[in-house]
Amino acid sequence: MRVSFGDDYMKKKKIFFCNSYYHILISIIKILTDNKRNINYIVLSDDNCIIDFSSITKKIKNNKIVEDVYCIKYPKYLTKCNQSFLGLVKKNIFCIFFKPRFLNLNDYDEIYIYNDTSIIGRYINRINKKYILLEDGTDCYKKNHNYIIENNKAKHFFKKMLGINELGSSNNIEYIEVNDKANLEISNKKIVESSKKDMFEKLSDSDIKILQNVFLDDINISVLNNKCLIITQPLSEDGFLETENDKIEQYKKILLKLNLKECDVVFKTHPRESTNYSFYFKNSYVMKEKFPIEILNFFPSLKFKYIITISSTAIDLLNNCDKKIILGWEWLNEK
């Protein structure tokens, strides 16, 4: 006698750990384009206070994308930690004792994570769960992103002794999924190439509508048309420049070099920035909404004259422009 367990018997339970809007976008796309329609869960955690938990959770649930959404909220004293020695000590101590009470990772067939040096990433490694590592940002493991591998061999050794794995180096990784295999900084041999461009092209019209509902349900696209989009970076926040004024001067230098007027410019700020660009660029348009910039691809009527950035990986996937201008880190040293 043949016993049928139904379709659900063959489905996998997958869980995606996200701590940025880009992570949420890629997770949702992977879920929407999964032909098997497995049972999916999303966990939102936030090391840097950039995700609006209540808003994005409601939108994901309303669009019936996953079985459930969980949120991990860290103490404020931790999320406000900077990269100082004391801040890193606080974070490392918290990582040792951190344990999400509501999650039993043995319940899931596949675990996806974008940053395995994050708090939740360290926890997963500490309990020796196998996981799939996805890119923290498109092509972020390329040679020009030297934060991936610690250059200081002594620090690298002590991190290993303390059980702290650098990004992509853990033995618990089943494989690392990247947009493009060429010129990677990481040496892990378990690399799988999965083009983001191909991933986006698999989306149906109904999938795109869901993404628009989740990320940009209330934005006026018409005010952006035929402008020049500048994707900003947290240059002063991350220590690439000393002060916020230094950062503003860099963007004024870009406008001057390209002969742009402020009224022709749209700023898309990085979620970790606190800079009020409207104060410094009076006639520009500043997108204050928090969303993954790649979502702008899904508005076919939208067209920018330029898309400009100082070394942001997000620009690679944007198509709706006449010209892309990528200014490398060396731009910061030009007079």
Side-chain angles (χ1 to χ4, degrees):
M1 185 176 76
R2 183 175 176 180
V3 178
S4 173
F5 293 95
D7 291 340
D8 285 347
Y9 182 72
M10 301 301 293
K11 289 182 179 180
K12 291 182 177 179
K13 287 182 72 175
K14 298 183 178 184
I15 189 164
F16 296 81
F17 287 90
C18 305
N19 56 8
S20 78
Y21 286 98
Y22 173 83
H23 300 171
I24 300 169
L25 171 67
I26 298 301
S27 298
I28 291 175
I29 291 176
K30 292 180 82 65
I31 290 166
L32 293 175
T33 56
D34 180 4
N35 292 330
K36 294 184 179 178
R37 298 291 181 181
N38 290 296
I39 303 169
N40 299 285
Y41 299 81
I42 284 179
V43 179
L44 304 178
S45 62
D46 197 355
D47 292 28
N48 298 299
C49 292
I50 62 175
I51 299 177
D52 182 344
F53 282 136
S54 59
S55 174
I56 197 72
T57 298
K58 182 179 179 180
K59 290 176 180 178
I60 293 171
K61 287 184 175 181
N62 285 348
N63 285 276
K64 300 179 180 178
I65 297 167
V66 295
E67 191 75 11
D68 206 350
V69 180
Y70 304 117
C71 296
I72 298 175
K73 296 184 179 180
Y74 302 125
K76 284 188 177 179
Y77 73 81
L78 190 72
T79 53
K80 296 296 183 183
C81 278
N82 55 29
Q83 293 300 306
S84 67
F85 176 76
L86 181 60
L88 292 174
V89 167
K90 283 182 181 179
K91 188 163 284 191
N92 285 324
I93 291 174
F94 184 84
C95 286
I96 293 171
F97 297 100
F98 170 73
K99 183 179 180 180
R101 297 176 183 274
F102 57 87
L103 280 179
N104 181 359
L105 294 185
N106 293 321
D107 293 340
Y108 303 94
D109 301 299
E110 291 181 3
I111 297 170
Y112 293 84
I113 190 165
Y114 294 82
N115 186 339
D116 54 357
T117 65
S118 63
I119 294 170
I120 191 69
R122 293 188 193 185
Y123 169 73
I124 292 170
N125 272 300
R126 196 172 75 244
I127 62 173
N128 288 318
K129 292 299 297 181
K130 295 293 183 183
Y131 61 92
I132 297 158
L133 182 62
L134 305 175
E135 287 178 311
D136 196 19
T138 303
D139 289 329
C140 70
Y141 301 155
K142 294 287 189 184
K143 292 287 185 181
N144 62 329
H145 290 271
N146 55 14
Y147 68 87
I148 297 296
I149 299 298
E150 178 60 68
N151 293 322
N152 187 315
K153 292 184 178 179
K155 285 175 72 175
H156 176 78
F157 173 78
F158 283 111
K159 279 184 176 181
K160 278 290 186 184
M161 291 289 291
L162 293 169
I164 301 173
N165 293 289
E166 291 176 4
L167 197 60
S169 67
S170 171
N171 293 328
N172 292 315
I173 296 173
E174 293 189 42
Y175 63 86
I176 303 174
E177 184 180 298
V178 300
N179 177 60
D180 179 14
K181 283 185 177 181
N183 300 316
L184 294 179
E185 183 76 35
I186 51 177
S187 58
N188 195 306
K189 294 180 180 179
K190 297 179 286 187
I191 305 290
V192 174
E193 187 174 273
S194 177
S195 164
K196 297 294 190 301
K197 182 175 180 292
D198 292 345
M199 186 187 297
F200 288 178
E201 288 176 352
K202 290 179 182 177
L203 291 165
S204 66
D205 290 343
S206 59
D207 293 336
I208 290 172
K209 184 62 178 175
I210 289 173
L211 291 171
Q212 291 174 338
N213 290 342
V214 170
F215 294 107
L216 288 179
D217 60 339
D218 54 359
I219 193 166
N220 183 1
I221 293 298
S222 63
V223 300
L224 311 178
N225 221 18
N226 294 316
K227 298 288 182 70
C228 299
L229 175 65
I230 296 181
I231 305 172
T232 66
Q233 291 272 59
L235 300 173
S236 53
E237 289 85 352
D238 286 357
F240 291 103
L241 296 173
E242 288 188 9
T243 68
E244 183 175 89
N245 283 334
D246 291 336
K247 177 171 65 173
I248 295 302
E249 287 304 312
Q250 291 295 329
Y251 290 116
K252 286 183 177 179
K253 188 168 72 172
I254 290 174
L255 267 60
L256 185 64
K257 184 179 179 68
L258 297 176
N259 197 27
L260 295 174
K261 298 178 180 178
E262 290 184 10
C263 59
D264 295 329
V265 174
V266 173
F267 285 97
K268 169 61 178 76
T269 60
H270 192 281
R272 284 192 286 109
E273 285 186 283
S274 56
T275 303
N276 179 6
Y277 284 91
S278 299
F279 176 78
Y280 297 100
F281 300 92
K282 301 293 186 183
N283 298 315
S284 64
Y285 183 85
V286 180
M287 302 181 75
K288 297 179 180 178
E289 300 86 357
K290 292 183 177 181
F291 63 91
I293 193 69
E294 293 84 357
I295 199 71
L296 295 179
N297 272 334
F298 304 130
F299 293 88
S301 63
L302 176 61
K303 192 80 169 181
F304 294 104
K305 292 178 181 177
Y306 298 135
I307 298 181
I308 308 156
T309 188
I310 300 175
S311 201
S312 170
T313 60
I315 198 172
D316 295 331
L317 292 176
L318 293 174
N319 303 317
N320 40 357
C321 68
D322 294 327
K323 186 177 181 180
K324 297 178 186 178
I325 299 175
I326 305 175
L327 303 168
W329 295 116
E330 65 276 3
W331 166 267
L332 301 180
N333 300 317
E334 289 185 11
K335 300 298 183 184

